[in-house]
Amino acid sequence: DIVLTQSPGTLSLSPGDRVTLSCRASQTVSSNYLAWYQQKVGQAPRLLISAASSRAPGTPDRFSGSGSGTDFSLTIDRLEPEDFAVYFCQQYATSPLTFGGGTRVE
Amino acid sequence: QVQLVQSGSEVKKPGASVKVSCKASGYTFSDYGITWVRQAPGQGLTWMGWISSYSDNTNYAQNLHGRVIMTTDTSTNTAYMELRNLRSDDTAIYYCARNLSGDAFDVWGQGTVVTVSS
């Protein structure tokens, strides 16, 4: 199984800050089939980024994804109040599909 | 608009089964598959498996040890996930999500809380 490790576990930030979240895979994620999801308290996850860097429809352009192989990142420019949430990375290249443990942005 | 609406909360005893439904609307149901993901209280997300809505092909997570069955009903645009021989550690929120094979999950249901307790 591909293990995804997200760091850090929690980030304490302020509106307007720029943040980069990391997701490291235990083996190469083929075709960069790596997605990022945002989950707010009491809500279902929401797709932000697929294929490592493609924003999903409706994802604000302050969110950007990058990386390839085993190292991926999600950057949020100028944090807005509604961006405080938990962010999960997920690989969908290899079964079983796996998620990282999440990074909480508070 | 595209949406997935799941059935309501369930409380079950250990050893029982639960069947969660996921009704799709706003798109051609057979064009996409349905993935099931669960989230234990305060924990992360765990993939349970995927079913094609057009071929009924399935791909289940091995760690469910054959306890899960995923089905679809194209006449009602509804997907189902049945989990048998429930244990206390099956207590979780169960989500369905839409995706094409080999793609990310772009639309999610609202989640169904399943509580397993004696």
Side-chain angles (χ1 to χ4, degrees):
Chain A
D1 298 5
I2 296 179
V3 176
L4 299 178
T5 302
Q6 291 189 242
S7 60
T10 302
L11 282 168
S12 297
L13 297 166
S14 300
D17 287 347
R18 184 175 189 269
V19 58
T20 296
L21 312 181
S22 171
C23 176
R24 178 160 293 177
S26 61
Q27 54 189 280
T28 296
V29 178
S30 61
S31 303
N32 294 330
Y33 281 173
L34 191 288
W36 290 92
Y37 299 87
Q38 176 194 67
Q39 187 178 33
K40 297 180 181 179
V41 173
Q43 296 185 18
R46 168 196 169 196
L47 177 66
L48 295 176
I49 301 283
S50 63
S53 60
S54 296
R55 275 189 290 272
T59 300
D61 59 9
R62 64 180 179 274
F63 291 90
S64 61
S66 63
S68 63
T70 60
D71 288 304
F72 299 88
S73 61
L74 174 71
T75 298
I76 312 171
D77 286 329
R78 303 179 314 278
L79 272 170
E80 297 286 342
E82 61 267 28
D83 300 337
F84 290 88
V86 180
Y87 293 84
F88 294 97
C89 60
Q90 179 229 352
Q91 66 81 20
Y92 51 96
T94 303
S95 184
L97 309 189
T98 50
F99 290 88
T103 292
R104 179 181 304 275
V105 175
E106 61 178 30
Chain B
Q1 73 281 22
V2 176
Q3 61 177 350
L4 300 173
V5 178
Q6 298 183 223
S7 50
S9 299
E10 302 266 12
V11 179
K12 297 292 184 180
K13 293 190 183 302
S17 297
V18 68
K19 192 170 186 176
V20 178
S21 68
C22 170
K23 184 171 177 58
S25 61
Y27 71 98
T28 302
F29 183 65
S30 57
D31 284 350
Y32 291 81
I34 295 289
T35 284
W36 291 88
V37 172
R38 69 180 181 179
Q39 187 170 35
Q43 302 301 308
L45 302 166
T46 302
W47 177 78
M48 299 179 68
W50 175 85
I51 181 167
S52 165
S53 303
Y54 43 91
S55 69
D56 276 344
N57 284 347
T58 54
N59 181 16
Y60 298 144
Q62 292 296 312
N63 62 5
L64 290 171
H65 305 296
R67 296 190 295 127
V68 68
I69 300 174
M70 297 177 187
T71 56
T72 61
D73 182 345
T74 54
S75 69
T76 60
N77 293 343
T78 303
Y80 298 91
M81 186 283 299
E82 181 177 17
L83 189 60
R84 300 173 295 182
N85 193 19
L86 289 167
R87 311 183 303 227
S88 59
D89 62 356
D90 291 318
T91 294
I93 301 173
Y94 289 76
Y95 294 102
C96 62
R98 181 185 85 160
N99 72 300
L100 296 169
S101 177
D103 208 347
F105 313 151
D106 67 340
V107 178
W108 292 65
Q110 84 276 18
T112 296
V113 175
V114 175
T115 303
V116 183
S117 173
S118 56

